[in-house]
């Protein structure tokens, strides 16, 4: 189907100062964990988006000096010419595919914990970091101010030399320029503090100096929070006023919301709490202050919504971080009317957790994100397998099984069957997506359903539970087991390294998450307790389900924070707030010592006993692999050989329970390497390291 005419507006070119964007799709700066430490990974990752049709691709935050060192988090850097050489790989890749390249020049000020450089952080005033009370900055003198502004100019010059087309004077997310602008962070009484004019001075001067220095070599972009929200000091009126004052010097406004330490409302809002484009309430106001091009983000994947906000004049460019990770080819697919092929971001923020804390970005929807260079994976291209004449049976249509089958079919295997005991594809996603707030994760299934339907050599066989004989008799050359994992009924876990006395199979008053969500069982009575030793979405989700049905619910976790892993996905604070608002009592840092029909015996972090009176318990202790089928097949290699099964592999949770993103990755990996000498063993990937 051709593109709908109402989306034509998205493919108009846009002028930003001396440069022209080929369309309105703009990959805003976002973290990856690549920086200048992995220059080839950086180049291939951004270059893939350029190939996918984005008009501009930007780096992550890019430090301008050693005082702006936010390690252990990984930023890009332009401290010297070597850094510029590293980033030149990226600009070349972007240009090769017709995109502009942008660099987000950054000074963290107070937030640069300088753990690598060991220099004192700089800030307008001496207030400690709200992340870490040990980090107390040095107050910037007028000489420091001039020096930092000059460092911005020097870095901008290097950026131009490295081939960048767009240079940022990045100030949002309450980094140094916003710290000056905010009366909360800026307590100065000199020409750089006090009145709005004075607080705006540092940033305005920096923009002016960069503008003068780069001339027409690059477009100048400024990233600003329309409102820093949550008491961070720069409210909408001042945000807009700053835009007015700087407007003549700026070619592109990249408008965000929120503060670095503001976890309630922020740009990378998870789908659990935020709808597409929710930021527009604030960022959508920037037009009042400027006629220059504006880019905003909003996890936009719906072309109608994109066209509507452009047509309405609110913004000129559709900015994206996550939708561009989840589908680097989003613009091309819309341009060519391939709407149902878009791999829509699910808003889970696994990418964020991996790029910030894991140092290498990954994505739940797009297994190839971050693997373009080191594994040579292209999200849209699949090499014909050397063993394409073979057939494959995949047992289990969960995330790992679906993904593996699709990759195998795209690689041209003669025939791929995915067999599942259930009625539909999805595996654990069937019930996970029914947990409160996680409906959008269903896009993982939606995308794969469309893909599977398009592949004539791929067939889904529902309602069949296979045992070892069934697999051997199936007639496939390759058998792949993707049977998933189950929550332990006896409460066995790695925290106490023991089962929970009183838990076990067949008890009406002690249930697992699957019993609640799949079998529809409920703990008896009006009072329930959820024991959570995992700390991600399941325990909190089950607690919400039970509470919504009118029970009194208490949640006990061994961690200091409820659902602590959700802090890495930017869901934690809101989630805890929701549990609190729902009236769910929370016990932190505690373990369950026994369960009986009257309740839970527990111990606090010092071992002091306490009791939770309740009528039933849901134990979210740990998942164990459902590997019985794989082991039965492994145990009889002769029978396997006699049946003509040449390859046997296991993927996903049935090997080791893991994040959905990693189960999908595992399935994808096997599909990509099905013709390697030993497909069960991952091939080594390219590493980037200093040469000695
Ligand atoms: P993963 O996350 O590793 O993909 P899931 O637990 O989501 O795993 O999915 C496993 C799927 O395998 C489920 O849909 C389940 O119904 C299916 N399954 C498990 N054992 C068998 C079996 N013996 N035969 C067919 N399907 C099975
Ligand atoms: Fe979107 Fe999740 Fe992928 Fe991030 S990891 S881009 S939030 S689907």
């Amino acid at each position: 189907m051709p593109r709908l005419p109402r989306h034509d507006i998205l493919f108009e070119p846009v002028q930003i100062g001396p440069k022209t964007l080929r369309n309105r799709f703009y990959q805003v700066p976002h973290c990856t964990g690549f920086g200048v430490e992995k220059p080839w990974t950086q180049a291939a990752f951004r270059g893939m988006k350029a190939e996918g049709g984005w008009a501009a691709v930007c780096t992550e935050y890019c430090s301008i000096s050693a005082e702006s060192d936010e390690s252990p988090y990984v930023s890009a850097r332009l401290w010297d010419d070597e850094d510029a050489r590293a980033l030149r790989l990226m600009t070349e890749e972007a240009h090769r595919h017709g995109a502009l390249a942008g660099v987000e020049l950054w000074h963290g000020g107070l937030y640069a914990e300088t753990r690598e450089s060991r220099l004192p952080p700089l800030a307008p005033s001496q207030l400690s970091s709200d992340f870490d009370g040990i980090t107390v900055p040095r107050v910037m003198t007028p000489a420091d101010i001039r020096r930092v502004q000059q460092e911005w100019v020097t870095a901008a010059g290097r950026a131009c030399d490295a081939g960048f087309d767009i240079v940022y004077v990045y100030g949002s997310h309450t980094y140094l320029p916003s710290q000056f602008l905010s009366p909360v962070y800026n307590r100065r009484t000199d020409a750089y503090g006090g009145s709005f004019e004075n607080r705006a001075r540092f940033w305005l001067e920096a923009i002016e100096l960069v503008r003068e220095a780069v001339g027409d070599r690059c477009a100048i972009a400024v990233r600003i929070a329309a409102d820093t929200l949550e008491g961070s000091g720069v409210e909408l009126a001042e945000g807009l006023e700053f835009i007015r004052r700087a407007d003549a010097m700026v070619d592109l406004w990249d408008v965000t919301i929120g503060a670095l330490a503001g976890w309630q409302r922020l740009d990378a809002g998870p789908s659990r709490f935020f709808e597409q484009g929710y930021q527009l309430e604030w960022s959508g106001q920037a037009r009042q202050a400027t006629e220059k091009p504006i880019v905003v983000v909003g996890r936009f994947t719906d072309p109608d919504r994109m066209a509507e906000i452009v047509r309405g004049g609110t913004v000129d460019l559709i900015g994206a971080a996550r939708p561009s990770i989840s589908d680097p080819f989003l613009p091309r697919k819309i341009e060519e009317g391939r709407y149902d092929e878009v791999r829509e971001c699910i808003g889970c923020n696994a990418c964020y957790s991996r790029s910030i804390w894991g140092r290498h970005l990954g994505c739940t929807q797009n297994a190839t994100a971050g693997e373009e260079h080191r594994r040579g994976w292209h999200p849209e291209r699949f090499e014909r397998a050397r063993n394409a004449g073979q057939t494959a049976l995949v047992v289990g249509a969960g995330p790992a099984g679906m993904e593996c089958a699709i990759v195998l079919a795209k690689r041209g295997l003669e025939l791929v069957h995915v067999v599942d005991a259930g009625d539909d594809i999805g595996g654990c996603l069937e019930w996970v997506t029914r947990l409160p707030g996680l409906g959008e994760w269903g896009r993982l299934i939606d995308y794969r359903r469309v893909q599977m339907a398009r592949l004539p050599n791929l067939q889904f066989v529902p309602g069949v539970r296979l045992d070892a004989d069934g697999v051997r008799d199936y007639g496939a050359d390759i058998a792949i087991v993707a049977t998933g994992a189950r929550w332990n009924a006896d409460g066995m876990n790695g925290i106490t390294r023991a089962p929970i006395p009183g838990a076990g199979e067949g008890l009406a008053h002690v249930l697992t998450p699957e019993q609640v969500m799949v079998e529809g069982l409920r703990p008896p009575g009006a009072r329930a307790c959820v024991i959570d030793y995992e700390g991600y979405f399941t325990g909190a989700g089950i607690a919400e389900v039970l509470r919504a049905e009118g029970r009194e619910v208490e949640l006990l976790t061994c961690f200091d924070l409820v659902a602590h892993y959700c802090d890495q996905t930017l869901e934690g604070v809101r989630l805890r707030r929701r549990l609190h608002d729902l009236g769910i009592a929370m016990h932190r840092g505690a373990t369950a010592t026994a369960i009986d029909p009257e309740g839970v015996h527990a111990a606090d972090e010092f071992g002091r006993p306490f009791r939770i009176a309740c009528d039933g318990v849901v134990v979210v202790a740990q998942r164990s692999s459902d590997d019985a089928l794989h082991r039965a097949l492994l145990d009889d290699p002769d029978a396997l050989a006699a049946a003509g099964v040449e390859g046997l592999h296991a993927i996903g949770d049935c090997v080791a329970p893991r994040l959905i993103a990693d189960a999908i990755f595992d399935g994808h990996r096997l599909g990509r390497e099905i013709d390697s000498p030993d497909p069960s063993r991952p091939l080594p990937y390219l590493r980037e390291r200093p040469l000695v």
Side-chain angles (χ1 to χ4, degrees):
M1 142 183 191
R3 174 174 90 226
L4 295 168
R6 64 176 185 266
H7 301 148
D8 288 352
I9 195 169
L10 299 172
F11 296 92
E12 293 169 352
V14 177
Q15 195 70 28
I16 48 167
K19 303 284 177 174
T20 308
L21 295 159
R22 61 181 161 182
N23 60 39
R24 297 183 187 270
F25 291 88
Y26 186 99
Q27 182 247 287
V28 295
H30 73 79
C31 292
T32 56
F34 307 153
V36 288
E37 272 73 37
K38 297 179 183 171
W40 280 274
T41 304
Q42 173 79 272
F45 175 72
R46 310 287 181 188
M48 190 62 75
K49 303 190 202 199
E51 186 184 337
W54 299 85
V57 292
C58 299
T59 63
E60 58 269 72
Y61 62 161
C62 179
S63 168
I64 61 171
S65 80
E67 278 155 335
S68 182
D69 157 33
E70 209 182 53
S71 53
Y73 310 116
V74 180
S75 71
R77 292 175 174 176
L78 270 174
W79 295 359
D80 58 27
D81 293 343
E82 278 304 306
D83 289 335
R85 262 163 54 84
L87 289 177
R88 174 171 278 285
L89 295 180
M90 169 191 156
T91 64
E92 286 169 354
E93 271 304 287
H95 294 160
R96 195 162 73 84
H97 295 292
L100 302 184
V103 61
E104 189 185 36
L105 297 182
W106 158 78
H107 198 298
L110 165 68
Y111 290 123
E113 291 174 23
T114 57
R115 293 196 193 175
E116 182 189 296
S117 67
R118 304 187 72 173
L119 304 174
L122 300 175
S125 303
Q126 198 162 49
L127 277 182
S128 68
S129 164
D130 30 359
F131 284 118
D132 169 11
I134 293 170
T135 302
V136 182
R138 181 160 78 80
V139 177
M140 289 173 77
T141 63
D144 289 325
I145 289 174
R146 282 190 292 281
R147 180 171 51 77
V148 170
Q149 290 169 336
Q150 196 50 49
E151 285 166 351
W152 225 301
V153 169
T154 307
R158 281 201 182 99
C160 294
D161 294 343
F164 283 103
D165 308 282
I166 304 162
V167 167
Y168 273 73
V169 187
Y170 170 37
S172 59
H173 302 99
T174 43
Y175 285 126
L176 186 62
S178 303
Q179 290 162 25
F180 270 96
L181 192 58
S182 162
V184 171
Y185 293 90
N186 182 348
R187 311 291 173 112
R188 300 174 78 97
T189 52
D190 64 1
Y192 290 90
S195 65
F196 174 80
E197 280 70 22
N198 284 359
R199 286 183 279 116
R201 193 180 312 281
F202 170 83
W203 200 355
L204 288 172
E205 286 177 353
I207 297 169
E208 188 178 359
L209 290 167
V210 171
R211 171 90 273 172
E212 274 171 17
V214 306
D216 278 349
R217 288 207 289 164
C218 284
I220 303 288
V222 172
R223 202 174 207 193
I224 182 171
D227 193 321
T228 54
L229 301 168
E230 297 169 44
S232 293
V234 185
E235 292 178 5
L236 188 63
E238 287 202 340
L240 297 184
E241 186 54 25
F242 186 88
I243 292 176
R244 284 188 198 98
R245 303 265 177 126
D247 203 34
M249 302 182 284
V250 175
D251 300 317
L252 170 65
W253 287 102
D254 180 340
V255 185
T256 69
I257 62 162
L260 197 63
W263 299 111
Q264 294 277 1
R265 286 174 299 190
L266 64 170
D267 263 333
S271 61
R272 189 197 275 271
F273 299 110
F274 300 103
E275 295 191 338
Q276 211 179 132
Y278 93 99
Q279 300 95 320
L280 285 167
E281 180 180 344
W282 302 275
S283 59
Q285 313 258 1
R287 181 59 79 218
Q288 296 170 35
T290 179
E291 288 302 314
K292 296 274 178 71
I294 296 172
V295 59
V296 301
V297 294
R299 200 159 40 78
F300 296 117
T301 53
D302 171 4
D304 280 339
R305 185 77 198 284
M306 298 176 194
E308 175 197 313
I309 60 172
V310 171
R311 202 170 286 115
T314 312
V315 304
D316 304 277
L317 302 170
I318 302 300
R322 290 172 295 171
S324 75
I325 300 170
S326 133
D327 198 339
F329 279 64
L330 176 89
R332 275 251 211 124
K333 288 176 181 174
I334 295 175
E335 187 171 21
E336 294 166 8
R338 293 154 54 205
Y339 299 106
D340 61 355
E341 289 181 45
V342 173
R343 206 182 303 103
E344 284 185 285
C345 169
I346 66 166
C348 64
N349 283 357
C351 50
Y352 183 83
S353 74
R354 287 299 162 101
S355 58
I356 297 288
W357 280 275
R359 299 174 68 91
H360 195 100
L361 173 140
C363 167
T364 308
Q365 266 283 43
N366 176 13
T368 68
E371 308 297 341
E372 300 84 356
H373 165 71
R374 67 179 189 176
R375 288 192 161 90
W377 292 355
H378 188 291
E380 306 297 320
R381 275 206 297 275
F382 295 82
E383 255 178 46
R384 190 170 168 80
R386 282 187 290 275
N387 54 348
Q390 290 193 308
T391 57
L393 163 67
V394 180
V395 186
M402 287 189 289
E403 181 74 5
C404 185
I406 289 169
V407 175
L408 290 175
K410 287 187 174 177
R411 296 204 60 205
L413 258 67
E414 172 91 11
L415 187 61
V416 181
H417 272 201
V418 197
V419 175
D420 200 289
D423 298 337
D424 198 5
I425 58 171
C428 63
L429 290 171
E430 187 283 322
W431 64 267
V432 166
T433 54
R434 286 189 282 111
L435 290 173
L438 299 189
E440 215 166 283
W441 293 21
R443 290 173 171 182
L444 293 170
I445 305 177
D446 299 341
Y447 170 72
R448 286 167 181 81
R449 193 186 299 286
V450 172
Q451 295 289 305
M452 287 169 80
R454 294 253 164 95
L455 289 160
N457 54 341
L458 172 51
Q459 204 179 323
F460 172 56
V461 180
V464 177
R465 179 171 292 281
L466 289 173
D467 58 13
D469 282 334
V471 171
R472 285 187 290 252
D473 295 344
Y474 205 88
D477 301 315
I478 304 169
I480 297 166
V481 182
T483 46
R486 294 184 70 79
W487 288 94
N488 293 342
D490 63 0
M492 182 67 193
N493 69 91
I495 303 297
T496 64
R497 296 182 293 281
I500 303 173
E505 302 274 2
L507 297 170
H509 66 286
V510 188
L511 302 177
T512 64
E514 285 105 347
Q515 285 177 309
V516 174
M517 296 304 296
V518 182
E519 295 174 34
L521 301 180
R522 290 293 180 269
R527 299 168 308 167
C529 176
V530 176
I531 297 171
D532 183 13
Y533 289 167
E534 186 205 38
Y536 192 20
F537 59 80
T538 307
I542 298 280
E544 269 196 66
V545 167
L546 299 179
R547 180 72 189 121
E549 291 171 354
R551 288 178 193 79
E552 279 177 38
V553 178
E554 302 192 35
L555 192 152
L556 175 150
T557 179
C558 53
F559 301 106
D560 292 341
L561 280 172
V562 169
H564 74 295
Y565 190 84
C566 289
D567 283 356
Q568 299 198 17
T569 56
L570 304 175
E571 295 167 295
V573 173
R574 281 227 161 202
L575 181 60
R576 288 188 284 274
R577 168 91 191 266
R578 178 140 93 193
L579 297 176
H580 179 81
D581 290 349
L582 289 170
I584 295 172
M586 293 178 258
H587 306 273
R588 305 172 194 85
T591 48
T593 49
I595 299 171
D596 62 36
E598 278 80 48
V600 176
H601 296 270
D604 71 10
E605 61 180 314
F606 306 114
R608 293 175 300 197
F610 68 98
R611 178 134 175 92
I612 299 171
C614 62
D615 309 305
V617 178
V618 180
V619 179
V620 186
Q622 188 203 299
R623 288 183 295 160
S624 289
S625 294
D626 192 348
D627 57 359
L629 177 62
H630 185 227
R631 276 194 284 110
L633 291 164
L634 273 181
D635 284 349
D636 198 346
D638 295 339
L640 211 57
V645 179
E646 293 173 28
L648 170 67
H649 313 289
I651 50 172
D653 294 338
C654 82
V655 178
R658 56 191 96 182
L659 288 189
I660 296 166
D662 291 326
I664 290 179
F665 169 84
D666 200 30
H668 194 101
R669 203 271 324 147
L670 183 69
R672 289 275 182 178
E673 298 178 356
I674 199 67
D675 48 358
S676 74
D678 178 5
S680 283
R681 284 300 308 155
L683 293 172
Y685 53 85
L686 294 173
R687 293 169 61 206
E688 296 182 58
R689 47 190 163 178
L691 287 179
V692 178

